[in-house]
Amino acid sequence: MKVLGILGSPRAGGNSDILLEQALAGAEDAGGEIEKIVLSKKKISGCLNCEKCNDTGVCAIKDDMLEIHKKILEADIVIHSVPVYFWAMTSQMKAYLDRWCAFFDAGWRLHKAYRPKMKGKRIGLITVCGDPNVSTADPIVHSFKSTCQFSGLTLLDVVQASAAAKGEIANNEVAKKKAYDLGRKSVTK
Ligand SMILES: Cc1cc2nc3c(=O)[nH]c(=O)nc-3n(C[C@H](O)[C@H](O)[C@H](O)COP(=O)(O)O)c2cc1C
């Protein structure tokens, strides 16, 4: 099983990075072949709604997202980890998600060629917010849940955690275990 980890925080070694590492460790322990992509280190522009991908299935913007599209298609499982910025996902994660547009045709159906690879693909989500109330991240969960329902993907258990200072989540054994279990179960499920 190929497991792709997508980090939406620009803070290396930060809270969502720590939890993503936990999830990937769980996936690897379960026999998964893991890879991590740090979005802030990639050049990913916003979707232009130019509609060129509607026919071709290939994004017209020639940046790092083209390679990531291929990696998403090849992966069995894609686990995202992202902090809350102003009650929403980070700009890095939003630009990445908007570029999923390339998977769809003009009628917002998955391109025929991609259907076998996308249908049932397992999607993981981890959120971190500074607010002690983890439901502050619910808008991000809603976005991923709707995207998965719309696209016929399988959203796995969502891990929502709270931490503010860089690396603070390392002390939260419960959140780390939940993230590890998410990764492990994503492969064994
Ligand atoms: C620009 C910015 C906006 C933020 N907005 C929120 C917010 O709306 N709600 C919240 O609970 N935390 C907010 N935070 C706090 C982060 O979610 C928190 O520090 C988180 O642990 C960062 O995760 P990271 O270490 O993975 O980058 C914000 C942080 C930044 C830098």
Side-chain angles (χ1 to χ4, degrees), residues 96-164:
Y96 154 91
L97 195 56
D98 287 351
R99 294 286 294 282
W100 275 43
C101 191
F103 294 132
F104 296 90
D105 65 18
W108 284 104
R109 288 174 303 262
L110 285 170
H111 277 289
K112 254 194 194 125
Y114 299 151
R115 279 177 212 165
K117 292 187 168 198
M118 292 299 276
K119 286 281 172 200
K121 194 182 294 289
R122 299 173 196 173
I123 302 295
L125 176 64
I126 299 166
T127 64
V128 183
C129 58
D131 193 324
N133 182 359
V134 298
S135 65
T136 295
D138 284 356
I140 303 178
V141 179
H142 175 75
S143 180
F144 274 85
K145 202 181 244 179
S146 304
T147 302
C148 289
Q149 275 170 1
F150 185 68
S151 318
L153 311 179
T154 303
L155 184 64
L156 303 166
D157 290 342
V158 176
V159 176
Q160 290 180 260
S162 167

Side-chain angles (χ1 to χ4, degrees), residues 9-11 14-17 83-87 128-131 136 163-166:
S9 168
R11 197 153 69 162
N15 299 311
S16 21
D17 195 6
V84 173
Y85 276 13
F86 290 97
W87 294 271
V128 183
C129 58
D131 193 324
T136 295
K166 184 177 178 183

